[in-house]
Amino acid sequence: MFLAKVQVSLKPTVNDPQGITIARALDRLGFDSVDSLRAGKYFEVKINGDDQSAAEADVKLMCEKLLANPVIETYSFELETI
Amino acid sequence: MFLAKVQVSLKPTVNDPQGITIARALDRLGFDSVDSLRAGKYFEVKINGDDQSAAEADVKLMCEKLLANPVIETYSFELETI
């Protein structure tokens, strides 16, 4: 069995009002070292099977079909055996 | 300057209807190897300064004060120099 940790974030050119709001809130809380913040999504997917390359291909396809919107988002993931 | 990549996920005992719905959608799309899925949040925070341990302490405090809800969520982060 594998655990895929998937990070999905907006492409750098896409406006991120949620991130801007959070960065402003951090500044108001006194964190003046924050330069900028981008908000995204995180998924932990448990995948049955023993074939690492098949699991990797599956996760890639999941990201492209459902987890991320490839028009405005990028994704990255790590796969670990559990 | 540092880049903190922060993952926030629900504690294992907390019900995650969003994750259950996404797992069901993946199953419907034909990904029958998916065992379970947990949904969370992801932040990329750019932090000014040269002091790695100060930046680390800052990110930890940000997570505890704003980015994560310590009652129901856990967080982890990696810091890289940029």
Side-chain angles (χ1 to χ4, degrees):
Chain A
M1 190 180 263
F2 299 98
L3 177 66
K5 296 182 170 182
V6 183
Q7 291 95 24
V8 177
S9 39
L10 288 168
K11 287 185 180 171
T13 49
V14 178
N15 195 23
D16 178 15
Q18 189 189 0
I20 293 168
T21 306
I22 297 170
R24 209 177 293 147
L26 285 172
D27 188 62
R28 225 176 293 122
L29 282 171
F31 295 103
D32 41 21
S33 61
V34 173
D35 179 76
S36 64
L37 186 147
R38 304 279 291 171
K41 291 175 287 184
Y42 176 62
F43 303 102
E44 287 185 347
V45 194
K46 280 189 189 156
I47 297 176
N48 293 314
D50 307 313
D51 184 347
Q52 174 141 7
S53 60
E56 249 177 58
D58 265 5
V59 175
K60 200 161 176 277
L61 214 58
M62 282 175 212
C63 290
E64 272 157 28
K65 280 197 170 175
L66 188 76
L67 301 182
N69 175 352
V71 178
I72 56 165
E73 292 172 328
T74 56
Y75 63 86
S76 63
F77 63 87
E78 306 96 54
L79 208 64
E80 51 189 62
T81 312
I82 50 170
Chain B
M1 191 181 264
F2 299 98
L3 176 67
K5 295 180 171 183
V6 183
Q7 290 96 23
V8 177
S9 39
L10 287 167
K11 287 185 181 172
T13 50
V14 178
N15 195 23
D16 177 16
Q18 189 190 359
I20 292 168
T21 305
I22 296 170
R24 209 177 293 146
L26 285 172
D27 189 60
R28 226 177 292 119
L29 283 171
F31 295 105
D32 40 21
S33 61
V34 173
D35 180 76
S36 64
L37 185 148
R38 304 280 291 171
K41 290 174 286 181
Y42 176 63
F43 304 102
E44 288 186 346
V45 194
K46 281 190 187 154
I47 297 176
N48 293 314
D50 307 312
D51 184 346
Q52 174 141 5
S53 60
E56 248 178 57
D58 265 3
V59 175
K60 199 160 177 279
L61 214 58
M62 282 176 213
C63 288
E64 272 157 28
K65 281 198 170 175
L66 187 75
L67 302 182
N69 175 352
V71 178
I72 56 164
E73 292 172 328
T74 55
Y75 62 86
S76 64
F77 64 88
E78 307 96 53
L79 209 63
E80 51 189 63
T81 312
I82 51 170

